[in-house]
Amino acid sequence: DLTGITIPEGVAIIDAEAFAKCYNLTSVTIPESVTTIGDNAFAYCSRLTNITIPESVTAIGTKAFANCSQLQEITIPGSVTVIKSETFTNCSSLHTINIELGVTTIEINAFNGCKALGTISIPESVTDINYDAFTGCVNLPTYDGIRYADTYLIGVTDKNITQLRIKEGTRLIRAHAFDNCDYIKNVNLPNSVTSIGDYAFADCDKLEDIYIPEGV
C-alpha cells in the first residue's frame, strides 16, 4: 500500500528490488547523494507516472523500471553512460525520453514494448545501440517508409520500398535494418551517417548501387 517515498539525503544506493512490485507507489524523491539504482529497483511499480533521476546517478541496473506501465516521461542524465538491458521494457505509457550527452550505450531491449514512445533525443555521445533496443516501439515516427528513433534508423515499415530516402541528420543505421528488403535497388546515405550495423543490407538481392559517405 506504499504510495510515496522520499529517500533521505546521504543514501548512496537504491539496492536491487528495493521497491519492486510496490503497485500503488506514485511518488518517489531521489536525493543528489544517490549514485546507483539497482536491478529491478522499481520494477512493476505500475502506478508510478513520473520520476526524476538526479545527475549524481552513474549506474541504473537491468530492469530497474521494467513494467512501470504508467511512467510517461523520463530524462536519463549523461552521468549514466550505459542504459542497460530491459531498463524500461514494457513501460507502455512512456511517450517522451530525453537522453543527455554522456550516455554512450543502449543495450538489448532497453525500451522494448514502449509502444507509446513518440519522442526521443539521442545525443552524439551514443555510438552503440543494440538492434533490439527499440523492439515494439511502434509509435516512433516514420519518413518515406522508414522508422527512426531521433538520429537512429531502426528499419523499414514498407518492405516493398525500391529507393531509400534516408533523412538528413541520420547518424546510426541499425543492424538488420534492411535485411530481406527484396525490392531495394538504390541507396544514397546522407553524409551524417557514421555507422552501419551488422547485416544491415543482408539478402537485398536487387541492390544495384549504394553510396557510403566518408564519415562512416
Side-chain angles (χ1 to χ4, degrees), residues 105-187:
T105 304
I106 302 175
E107 292 186 349
I108 185 170
N109 291 325
F111 301 103
N112 179 19
C114 295
K115 59 185 180 181
L117 181 60
T119 303
I120 184 170
S121 62
I122 300 177
E124 291 187 1
S125 57
V126 174
T127 57
D128 183 15
I129 302 177
N130 183 275
Y131 78 96
D132 276 337
F134 294 96
T135 299
C137 296
V138 294
N139 201 44
L140 284 168
T142 60
Y143 303 93
D144 294 321
I146 302 171
R147 177 165 285 133
Y148 298 86
D150 196 18
T151 58
Y152 177 59
L153 189 156
I154 295 176
V156 296
T157 55
D158 179 6
K159 288 287 186 178
N160 295 325
I161 199 167
T162 59
Q163 185 171 358
L164 294 181
R165 297 181 182 87
I166 297 172
K167 71 173 183 175
E168 290 291 335
T170 299
R171 289 194 307 113
L172 311 173
I173 295 178
R174 171 184 171 270
H176 298 273
F178 305 106
D179 60 354
N180 293 306
C181 291
D182 296 338
Y183 295 92
I184 294 176
K185 294 182 178 180
N186 309 103
V187 179

Side-chain angles (χ1 to χ4, degrees), residues 61-64 82-88 107-110:
T62 299
K63 297 183 180 179
V82 179
I83 301 173
K84 291 190 174 181
S85 60
E86 300 183 64
T87 302
F88 297 96
E107 292 186 349
I108 185 170
N109 291 325

